[in-house]
């Protein structure tokens, strides 16, 4: 506890410098990196497919191609925005080593991304992490929040033995200061839909993030909260709309609600990944009322796409080089593997982002 307060005192000392930064607009995003594994075995992790002698024949050459592809997408987003993300949440990352290899790629090395990552309990060995630019965000604290079944509202299909043996990704929370204002970021990768199951588990994941965010809002009045991740659910599903209280219209967002900018985009036919011919937005970003309704002169989420009958506060980054151009899956994200074969693509998800500004 003493260490926490010392860190907070040090941060308060640098706040004048933070306020003096020229930047008044910041990009905050999320990207599922689709199995960013290095080529070495990590004890206790089921990473055998991603070894040189594994099923995927995961060689240093393939790993280098994967790193280049991920960095290229991040760099292209920076070119479009005129600046790198201040904060980029990522998922499906094996370990810190893979993240260090990513941020040191020549195409993005000048962003000086720092890493927040915890090894989690997922049986496949993938975690969530946060990349951030220390020139723009000062970190106060971070926490890896485990999944649990301690819900008073959700009835779980899994029996007690199944619950005791269940392992999934932790939720990463990072508390930082951007432009003199407190933020809490939650990076999620909620339980899979494999077998058509897990709706109750994803609902609990949304509930865990919401409950922790409410505690942060009580401890730090006015803190601005961003929940992001591969939710394995659309913005209309219960995990997002009920348990995270995600609202479609920014004007309907109350103090206990979150604004869900990708909800209206999903209804309009946008998508971040395709499955059996249907587009979904699993890569969601939600913000609390303090960020949706921030006073003038403070950081507030901004509309990014304006059309005659709608304006959208979210952006799905989709470029031709990231998209399959031929074959059965033409028009969908150009992924790393297809049919068990390495095809040298990027990810099976498109990244998403929002922009916050003091406009």
């Amino acid at each position: 506890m003493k260490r926490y307060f010392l860190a907070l005192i040090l941060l308060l000392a640098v706040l004048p410098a933070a306020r003096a930064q020229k930047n008044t607009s910041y990009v905050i995003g999320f990207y599922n990196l689709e199995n960013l594994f290095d080529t070495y075995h990590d004890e206790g992790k089921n990473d055998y497919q991603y070894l040189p002698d594994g099923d995927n024949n995961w060689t240093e050459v393939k790993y280098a191609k994967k790193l280049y592809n991920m960095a290229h997408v991040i760099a292209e987003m920076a070119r479009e925005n005129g600046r790198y993300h201040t904060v980029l949440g990522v998922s499906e990352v094996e370990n810190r080593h893979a993240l260090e290899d990513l941020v040191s790629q020549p195409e993005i090395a000048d962003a000086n991304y720092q890493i927040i990552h915890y090894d989690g309990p997922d049986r496949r060995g993938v975690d969530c992490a946060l990349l951030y630019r220390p020139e723009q965000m000062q970190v106060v604290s971070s926490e890896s929040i485990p999944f649990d079944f301690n819900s008073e509202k959700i009835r779980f299909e899994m029996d007690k033995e199944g619950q005791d043996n269940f392992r999934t990704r932790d939720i990463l929370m990072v508390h930082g200061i951007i432009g003199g204002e407190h933020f809490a970021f939650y990076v999620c990768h909620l339980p899979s839909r494999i077998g058509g199951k897990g709706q109750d588990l994803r609902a609990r994941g949304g509930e865990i993030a919401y409950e922790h965010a409410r505690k942060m809002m009580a401890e730090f009045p006015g803190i601005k909260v961003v929940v992001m991740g591969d939710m394995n659910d659309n913005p209309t599903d219960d995990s997002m709309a009920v348990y995270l209280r995600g609202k479609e219209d920014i004007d309907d967002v109350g103090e206990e609600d979150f604004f869900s900018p990708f909800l209206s985009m999903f209804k309009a036919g946008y998508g971040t990944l395709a499955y059996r011919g249907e587009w979904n937005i699993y890569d969601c970003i939600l913000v609390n009322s303090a960020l949706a309704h921030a006073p003038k002169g403070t950081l507030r989420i901004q509309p990014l796409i304006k059309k005659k009958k709608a304006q959208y506060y979210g952006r799905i980054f989709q470029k031709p080089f990231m998209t399959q151009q031929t074959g059965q899956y033409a028009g969908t994200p150009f992924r790393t593997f297809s049919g068990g074969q390495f095809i040298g693509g990027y990810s099976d998800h498109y990244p998403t982002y929002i922009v916050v500004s003091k406009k």
Side-chain angles (χ1 to χ4, degrees):
M1 203 67 177
K2 289 181 180 178
R3 190 180 304 169
Y4 174 86
F5 284 114
L6 283 172
L8 188 56
I9 290 169
L10 288 171
L11 283 171
L12 291 174
V14 303
L15 283 183
R19 293 191 183 99
Q21 288 180 3
K22 293 181 180 179
N23 292 9
T24 59
S25 184
Y26 305 88
V27 182
I28 296 167
F30 172 78
Y31 195 12
N32 180 322
L33 301 180
E34 192 201 9
N35 295 318
L36 181 59
F37 282 78
D38 63 21
T39 60
Y40 308 100
H41 174 58
D42 284 10
E43 189 65 33
K45 290 190 176 183
N46 185 14
D47 58 2
Y48 297 104
Q49 282 186 313
Y50 287 90
L51 296 175
D53 58 353
D55 291 345
N56 290 330
N57 188 27
W58 193 240
T59 63
E60 287 290 340
V61 172
K62 291 177 180 177
Y63 178 51
K65 173 64 173 171
K66 177 71 173 179
L67 290 169
Y68 170 80
N69 284 355
M70 299 294 90
H72 184 56
V73 173
I74 295 169
E76 285 298 314
M77 286 192 283
R79 290 185 186 100
E80 177 173 283
N81 289 310
R83 58 201 180 280
Y84 285 107
H85 285 62
T86 296
V87 169
L88 179 61
V90 295
S91 69
E92 292 201 17
V93 178
E94 182 185 17
N95 53 33
R96 186 179 182 90
H97 173 244
L99 289 164
E100 289 173 347
D101 285 347
L102 174 62
V103 300
S104 63
Q105 290 295 296
E107 205 167 358
I108 61 171
D110 61 336
N112 189 33
Y113 278 123
Q114 302 300 298
I115 299 164
I116 299 179
H117 166 264
Y118 293 85
D119 283 315
D122 181 75
R123 295 196 190 280
R124 196 159 61 88
V126 292
D127 303 315
C128 297
L130 192 83
L131 309 181
Y132 72 97
R133 302 193 68 197
E135 301 87 352
Q136 296 179 0
M137 183 175 84
Q138 298 79 48
V139 174
V140 177
S141 65
S142 63
E143 181 180 350
S144 194
I145 306 167
F147 185 93
D148 63 45
F149 291 86
N150 302 326
S151 176
E152 297 179 356
K153 300 177 182 178
I154 301 169
R155 183 175 180 178
F156 297 104
E157 296 181 9
M158 200 177 290
D159 61 21
K160 183 65 166 60
E161 182 180 358
Q163 292 178 20
D164 290 343
N165 291 313
F166 182 69
R167 300 290 183 272
T168 191
R169 282 77 56 174
D170 288 354
I171 295 173
L172 174 64
M173 189 286 295
V174 179
H175 175 194
I177 295 175
I178 299 175
E181 301 180 25
H182 284 263
F183 277 76
F185 296 98
Y186 292 82
V187 188
C188 312
H189 187 183
L190 299 188
S192 171
R193 282 180 168 242
I194 291 176
K197 297 183 178 181
Q199 182 177 357
D200 54 337
L201 304 178
R202 292 186 296 279
R204 177 56 183 155
E207 186 179 52
I208 290 170
Y210 182 82
E211 289 173 345
H212 196 283
R214 292 295 298 171
K215 290 179 182 177
M216 290 294 289
M217 287 186 271
E219 185 174 356
F220 302 95
I223 191 170
K224 296 175 177 181
V225 179
V226 179
V227 180
M228 66 176 85
D230 176 357
M231 306 304 187
N232 275 307
D233 266 343
N234 285 305
T236 51
D237 289 318
D238 283 356
S239 60
M240 300 293 100
V242 176
Y243 291 94
L244 260 169
R245 298 179 63 109
K247 304 296 183 184
E248 178 178 0
D249 191 328
I250 196 169
D251 294 330
D252 293 337
V253 177
E255 290 187 4
E256 296 185 353
D257 300 321
F258 277 76
F259 174 46
S260 184
F262 291 92
L263 201 162
S264 58
M265 296 183 72
F266 173 64
K267 289 183 176 180
Y270 289 85
T272 60
L273 76 160
Y275 181 67
R276 294 182 176 176
E278 291 188 4
W279 281 97
N280 301 281
I281 299 182
Y282 290 174
D283 306 270
C284 300
I285 302 175
L286 301 91
V287 304
N288 71 338
S289 177
L291 191 50
H293 300 308
K296 186 177 180 180
T298 65
L299 291 171
R300 179 175 182 159
I301 190 171
Q302 299 297 322
L304 298 179
I305 304 173
K306 294 185 179 181
K307 296 190 174 182
K308 290 182 179 179
K309 295 184 179 179
Q311 65 177 5
Y312 299 121
Y313 288 77
R315 171 82 163 94
I316 299 170
F317 188 74
Q318 175 184 355
K319 294 293 182 180
F321 73 87
M322 301 162 61
T323 302
Q324 186 77 39
Q325 297 298 317
T326 60
Q328 179 183 357
Y329 301 109
T332 65
F334 183 22
R335 56 193 303 164
T336 308
F337 284 87
S338 181
Q341 298 297 313
F342 179 76
I343 58 174
Y346 295 77
S347 173
D348 54 350
H349 293 243
Y350 292 129
T352 54
Y353 65 80
I354 62 172
V355 172
V356 301
S357 173
K358 293 187 177 182
K359 290 181 182 177

